[in-house]
Amino acid sequence: MDTFPNLPIDFRAPSSEVARRLIGATFLVNGIGGRIVETEAYDREDPASHSFAGPTRRNAVMFGPPGRIYVYRSYGMHWCVNFVCREEGHGAAVLIRALEPTAGIDIMRERRGQENIRLLCAGPGRVCQALGITGEHNGMAIGAPPFELLPPTAAVDVAKVATGPRIGISKARDVPWRFGLTGSPFLSRPFPRP
DNA sequence: CTTAGGATCGCCT
DNA sequence: GGCGATCCTAAGC
């Protein structure tokens, strides 16, 4: 049986592993999107995670089946998108932080009011605005329309995936669960030098 | 290049 | 009532 139809990744794996394996995959909404270049992992026993204090109305999807989309509103005005991981009831997810735009670039420019291709999808709020993701997508399957997740066209060298502390959190700042394609100009921010 | 402040509101205590 | 898994603009070095 196929638990994850149309998905190139086993979302039952730990979120840090999924976050790493998502780098280089292509994420599209209605055919618009690009290559994932930056992610962050969140887990249940993780003070920075929305799931840390247990299920609430907002984070309910995080405790649902893996392979679904968890969308939340950030700072009252931006949407951010996650992919749910682990087994049902666990409360783990991967935040999609940045894409290298590859498909529907002109539409993304229009939606963002931004000409610079580097700034179309460089940040979780920008990703959702460019791809047209809103709270209406919360709980939907990653492997079904309007979504598509395609494997990397070429194997991503493990040595090319940078890790570092997550952005914008106040708790668990030392946990290196931010992942990104080293040197990509489409990151939300560069990774700190080792 | 880095830092500061404002926008804006749903969510949880 | 307080606080963000953010973004934009402006100003300083």
Side-chain angles (χ1 to χ4, degrees):
Chain A
M1 66 176 196
D2 190 353
T3 312
F4 300 99
N6 306 320
L7 291 182
I9 292 176
D10 184 350
F11 279 92
R12 293 168 298 187
S15 51
S16 55
E17 188 176 317
V18 172
R20 156 70 185 78
R21 295 188 56 192
L22 279 168
I23 300 300
T26 291
F27 181 49
L28 305 172
V29 182
N30 289 313
I32 296 167
R35 185 180 180 218
I36 298 173
V37 297
E38 184 181 341
T39 59
E40 280 177 2
Y42 291 88
D43 203 354
R44 176 63 202 266
E45 301 298 319
D46 170 9
S49 174
H50 288 170
S51 60
F52 183 65
T56 65
R57 173 142 80 255
R58 174 175 70 161
N59 66 24
V61 172
M62 277 189 85
F63 289 92
R68 301 272 184 93
I69 298 244
Y70 165 48
V71 183
Y72 71 93
R73 206 191 264 286
S74 176
Y75 290 88
M77 60 187 107
H78 307 292
W79 297 105
C80 295
V81 62
N82 294 254
F83 296 164
V84 177
C85 304
R86 291 282 188 143
E87 74 280 4
E88 181 161 2
H90 185 95
V94 172
L95 173 68
I96 307 302
R97 282 197 58 89
L99 307 181
E100 173 182 341
T102 60
I105 292 172
D106 287 338
I107 293 177
M108 292 195 278
R109 279 202 236 258
E110 259 179 55
R111 287 173 172 167
R112 292 264 307 115
Q114 170 64 257
E115 287 297 311
N116 189 342
I117 192 170
R118 286 190 323 174
L119 299 178
L120 288 183
C121 300
R126 292 162 168 171
V127 167
C128 284
Q129 189 179 24
L131 272 60
I133 297 172
T134 71
E136 293 182 1
H137 297 107
N138 192 33
M140 294 178 72
I142 302 164
F147 302 105
E148 274 181 280
L149 185 64
L150 310 170
T153 51
V156 176
D157 186 352
V158 183
K160 285 209 162 184
V161 177
T163 63
R166 294 170 290 183
I167 306 288
I169 57 169
S170 58
K171 300 162 193 162
R173 283 192 140 134
D174 51 320
V175 179
W177 277 359
R178 178 181 178 223
F179 300 83
L181 197 58
T182 303
S184 168
F186 300 99
L187 297 171
S188 67
R189 299 166 49 170
F191 278 76
R193 286 205 128 182

